[in-house]
Amino acid sequence: MDEEQKRMLGQLLVFGFHGTTATSEIKALICDHYVGNIILFSRNIETPEQLLSLTSDLQKAAKEAGHERPLAICVDQENGTVRRLSTGVTALPGAMLLGATNKRRYASVVGQLTAKELRAVGVNWNLAPVADVNNNPNNLVIGVRSFGEDPGKVGEYAEEMMNGLQAEGVIATLKHFPGHGDTVVDSHHAMPTIPHGLKRLRQVELMPFKACIKAGAEAIMSAHIHFPALETEPVPATMSYKVMTELLRHELGYSGVLMTDCLEMEAIAGTIGTAQGAVAALLAGADMLVVSHSESRQRAAIAALEAAFAEARFDQKRLDMSFQRIDALKAKYLSWDRLPRREELKNVGSTFRQSKANAIYADGVTAFGGRKLSPHQPVLVFYGNVQHRTPAEEKQDEDHPLVEALYKQAAMAKAIAFDADSQNWESCLAEADLYGQIIVATSNIAQAPYQQRFIHALMAKGHKPIIMATQNPYDYRFVPKSLTFVATYEPTEPAVAAALAYLFGQGEANGRFPVSVNEDGR
């Protein structure tokens, strides 16, 4: 490859790195290989001020290296359980909570608020919204990241969020094409299969993407999932010409940027390998190739792509095609004259923005059963550890957010952690006998069934605890229907605070489950 071709190839690459400052390794890739796009994770982020310094440093390296346009810098800021920015910023509701409000305009509001905060810290590209239809309660990777199980509703809410992000100058990305909602395998660990026929795919999985493409979608991320109806061999969609080009480009008429999910996920890295996966994805029709973590794999991917070009596995015309799509997107959103200024940080995480978000949280509270709590009587809360479903979700090092919210709202309250240990239960059950008001906070019971057993142990002693599902509304399937059940959809402080406010008679429960929580499909 000559120098100009290397410059073009660099614009197809989306690389990540470790650390909260720009490393010499990532700067070298930006300078020597013209890498034009960066993906950031929680490992790169501490505070808004630090993040702005980091993104500014990365942009400085790109400008000094002679990049014609600024770097596209992206994060997964879906909100809810998947948010890379979490300290010093506005806490915003995730997709399923938005779906529970039944007010699609909220998705646009959240999109706009998200974009304003991202732009202020130098992030110009969001890997959201999720357009997957979560119609499988056993889905390990999507779950509450989806707006719900109704394809039409998911399409409407995804479109609203996409438009909200783009209206505020941040690139939006629909994911995970052609649909990750009906899987029971996490593609971070292995390759899932969706066995349905084309008719069903068009009626469910593809519908939200089709609606958003019609509305002007500009970036889409592929899924590492095998669709036998489209690809007889066990090839993930990311590396399938039939999916990426024939289906998405030709049948659905999509002309925007198509990026891969991370090529280091086991569905790719554990089969064809990251480097050859990058080549295969490009040949299938991808424009942007994501290698999020390892510098050695990043350099191997560059070498494999350059070798494939030298061997004429793809030509200048194919390189031009992807480069032009990416360049057009960057020309619309990015400019060296529009980089953020430090004074824009003053509104990030402001009281005004959080109050707007809190009103949405309150509208999403969903409840079955009408039992309430008296603020004048002691209340005891038992909470289990947050059971993370997927590596995409943020890990929590601190106490459950419910604890802080509880002590803010109830003068006579106590919170106790419970787990599967029998000795722990003995002391918990003894404590419960001292209280007439009890809440059990659950988190993905299917993954930690000890929570269900603990509820039955309380009931065996004559207690009728209120159940608060702090992450997964499908927990309702495992809870006795005689008990009052409240869903928060995410273990964030504003979400659980809104649910507590309802239980203490200070709010309503206007939310409706956007998925079927009964075992009979209702």
Side-chain angles (χ1 to χ4, degrees):
M1 281 185 148
D2 61 29
E3 199 69 9
E4 183 58 28
Q5 289 165 336
K6 287 183 178 181
R7 284 181 177 273
M8 294 174 70
L9 181 63
Q11 292 301 310
L12 277 59
L13 305 174
V14 185
F15 286 174
F17 61 97
H18 293 261
T20 55
T21 58
T23 63
S24 57
E25 291 82 5
I26 196 65
K27 287 183 177 180
L29 288 165
I30 291 169
C31 179
D32 301 337
H33 293 280
Y34 310 104
V35 170
N37 316 283
I38 300 296
I39 182 168
L40 300 176
F41 292 89
S42 302
R43 68 193 183 207
N44 305 116
I45 300 167
E46 293 176 334
T47 65
E49 293 76 13
Q50 169 269 330
L51 182 53
L52 178 58
S53 295
L54 171 60
T55 56
S56 299
D57 197 19
L58 290 167
Q59 295 291 14
K60 180 183 177 185
K63 191 165 190 179
E64 290 176 351
H67 287 229
E68 183 180 352
R69 304 191 194 282
L71 299 168
I73 301 178
C74 65
V75 294
D76 294 280
Q77 194 71 3
E78 299 172 15
N79 301 311
T81 62
V82 178
R83 52 182 182 143
R84 307 308 180 215
L85 286 73
S86 58
T87 301
V89 298
T90 304
L92 295 165
M96 195 166 285
L97 192 148
L98 290 172
T101 67
N102 239 9
K103 295 177 180 176
R104 58 185 287 185
R105 63 182 174 83
Y106 282 160
S108 177
V109 171
V110 169
Q112 292 174 46
L113 288 171
T114 303
K116 287 177 179 179
E117 305 242 317
L118 292 180
R119 260 193 309 109
V121 296
V123 175
N124 46 40
W125 176 19
N126 194 12
L127 303 181
V130 170
D132 300 311
V133 180
N134 200 85
N135 51 10
N136 188 331
N138 298 314
N139 191 314
L140 294 174
V141 65
I142 302 302
V144 294
R145 299 168 65 192
S146 166
F147 293 106
E149 68 183 13
D150 179 78
K153 182 175 181 177
V154 171
E156 291 172 355
Y157 280 62
E159 180 183 333
E160 290 283 350
M161 180 165 282
M162 176 185 81
N163 289 337
L165 286 162
Q166 292 175 171
E168 290 295 332
V170 168
I171 301 166
T173 308
L174 301 172
K175 60 187 188 185
H176 308 79
F177 185 84
H180 208 318
D182 193 4
T183 61
V184 294
V185 173
D186 185 346
S187 52
H188 289 87
H189 304 303
M191 183 170 64
T193 295
I194 292 186
H196 305 298
L198 269 175
K199 181 180 179 182
R200 146 63 197 255
L201 292 176
R202 291 189 177 104
Q203 290 174 340
V204 179
E205 279 78 10
L206 297 180
M207 189 180 288
F209 292 97
K210 188 174 182 179
C212 291
I213 288 169
K214 186 177 180 181
E218 296 173 323
I220 290 178
M221 176 187 285
S222 68
H224 303 328
I225 298 175
H226 178 219
F227 290 80
L230 297 164
E231 190 71 67
T232 54
E233 297 299 316
V235 175
T238 295
M239 303 190 308
S240 169
Y241 184 86
K242 292 177 181 177
V243 175
M244 303 280 271
T245 297
E246 291 181 2
L247 176 61
L248 182 56
R249 299 286 188 198
H250 298 165
E251 181 177 330
L252 299 186
Y254 179 63
S255 58
V257 169
L258 176 54
M259 69 181 299
T260 71
D261 207 337
C262 181
L263 296 169
E264 290 179 276
M265 291 163 65
E266 278 303 299
I268 304 295
T271 54
I272 189 174
T274 298
Q276 290 307 316
V279 175
L282 183 66
L283 296 176
D287 300 308
M288 285 182 150
L289 310 166
V290 182
V291 186
S292 302
H293 307 292
S294 163
E295 185 201 359
S296 62
R297 282 176 167 170
Q298 290 165 355
R299 290 189 176 276
I302 293 171
L305 289 162
E306 290 180 349
F309 185 82
E311 296 162 5
R313 294 178 64 191
F314 69 94
D315 57 15
Q316 183 65 45
K317 182 179 178 181
R318 176 67 190 85
L319 183 59
D320 286 341
M321 192 182 301
S322 287
F323 173 80
Q324 288 165 9
R325 289 191 190 111
I326 295 164
D327 192 59
L329 185 63
K330 283 192 167 189
K332 181 175 180 179
Y333 286 93
L334 311 183
S335 165
W336 291 116
D337 299 325
R338 296 203 302 266
L339 295 180
R341 299 181 301 276
R342 191 157 292 273
E343 55 264 30
E344 295 175 35
L345 288 174
K346 67 179 183 295
N347 293 319
V348 173
S350 68
T351 303
F352 173 72
R353 287 181 182 173
Q354 192 60 61
S355 66
K356 289 184 72 172
N358 288 348
I360 301 175
Y361 277 111
D363 243 5
V365 175
T366 308
F368 281 160
R371 188 181 175 198
K372 297 291 187 68
L373 298 171
S374 168
H376 307 297
Q377 298 295 324
V379 59
L380 175 63
V381 173
F382 293 112
Y383 63 95
N385 293 326
V386 173
Q387 302 293 319
H388 295 282
R389 295 163 63 92
T390 166
E393 294 180 340
E394 299 306 310
K395 299 295 185 286
Q396 289 179 274
D397 297 324
E398 71 280 3
D399 282 339
H400 198 295
L402 178 61
V403 176
E404 184 176 351
L406 175 70
Y407 291 145
K408 284 180 180 178
Q409 294 198 37
M412 296 179 287
K414 185 172 184 177
I416 300 175
F418 73 98
D419 53 37
D421 181 68
S422 58
Q423 288 186 333
N424 171 258
W425 281 24
E426 193 174 311
S427 61
C428 286
L429 294 172
E431 189 76 23
D433 289 338
L434 305 176
Y435 288 79
Q437 300 189 128
I438 298 173
I439 297 174
V440 177
T442 65
S443 172
N444 294 324
I445 289 178
Q447 284 182 258
Y450 75 85
Q451 298 171 80
Q452 183 184 26
R453 296 194 300 271
F454 182 73
I455 292 168
H456 284 286
L458 282 170
M459 294 180 71
K461 295 198 70 177
H463 300 291
K464 291 192 69 174
I466 291 172
I467 308 304
M468 184 185 293
T470 60
Q471 190 162 16
N472 190 344
Y474 292 116
D475 284 3
Y476 185 73
R477 296 181 173 214
F478 303 92
V479 172
K481 302 306 176 276
S482 60
L483 301 179
T484 291
F485 179 91
V486 183
T488 73
Y489 301 98
E490 56 189 63
T492 57
E493 200 273 340
V496 295
L500 284 171
Y502 160 72
L503 288 172
F504 282 114
Q506 300 159 6
E508 303 295 325
N510 296 320
R512 295 292 179 268
F513 289 113
V515 291
S516 301
V517 295
N518 285 311
E519 290 192 29
D520 59 6
R522 289 181 294 165

